């Protein structure tokens, strides 16, 4: 999972689903997650395939902001950042 200034809706669903089918995650997701959240939480989420929402993702540290309008919030942030440019 790669992210920069991440946003989510409260009802967005997150999960590491491989365990649901008896598979071992073999891509970079579990490695990258260690940079975002504690290793024990990575292991728990990986082994349980638990589905959790955007609010819980924020609590875990997987997203920066939870909003009903994440796209509009991201655009507003981008517009604020643009004003910092010396070329405006």
């Amino acid at each position: 999972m790669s992210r920069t200034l991440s946003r989510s809706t409260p009802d967005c669903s997150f999960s590491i689903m491989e365990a649901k089918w008896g598979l071992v995650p073999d891509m970079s997701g579990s490695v990258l997650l260690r940079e975002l959240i504690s290793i024990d939480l990575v292991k728990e989420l990986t082994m349980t395939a638990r589905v959790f929402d955007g609010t819980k993702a924020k609590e875990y540290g997987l997203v920066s902001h939870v909003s009903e309008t994440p796209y509009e919030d991201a655009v507003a942030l981008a517009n604020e950042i643009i004003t910092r440019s010396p070329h405006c």
Side-chain angles (χ1 to χ4, degrees):
M1 175 181 202
S2 177
R3 69 176 181 115
T4 303
L5 306 171
S6 59
R7 306 207 179 287
S8 174
T9 58
D11 60 346
C12 181
S13 294
F14 292 83
S15 184
I16 304 168
M17 296 299 289
E18 286 88 345
K20 181 178 179 180
W21 300 290
L23 302 173
V24 175
D26 60 349
M27 303 304 283
S28 62
S30 55
V31 174
L32 294 174
L33 276 175
R34 295 186 319 205
E35 296 178 16
L36 302 175
I37 60 178
S38 66
I39 189 66
D40 59 327
L41 185 54
V42 172
K43 289 177 183 179
E44 180 181 333
L45 295 174
T46 301
M47 290 184 223
T48 62
R50 182 178 306 127
V51 178
F52 52 96
D53 63 17
T55 302
K56 189 60 93 169
K58 169 89 167 85
E59 181 182 317
Y60 290 160
L62 292 173
V63 297
S64 301
H65 301 279
V66 176
S67 168
E68 292 291 342
T69 57
Y71 178 79
E72 290 81 0
D73 294 351
V75 169
L77 178 60
N79 288 330
E80 179 182 347
I81 292 169
I82 288 169
T83 66
R84 306 300 188 261
S85 173
H87 302 291
C88 285

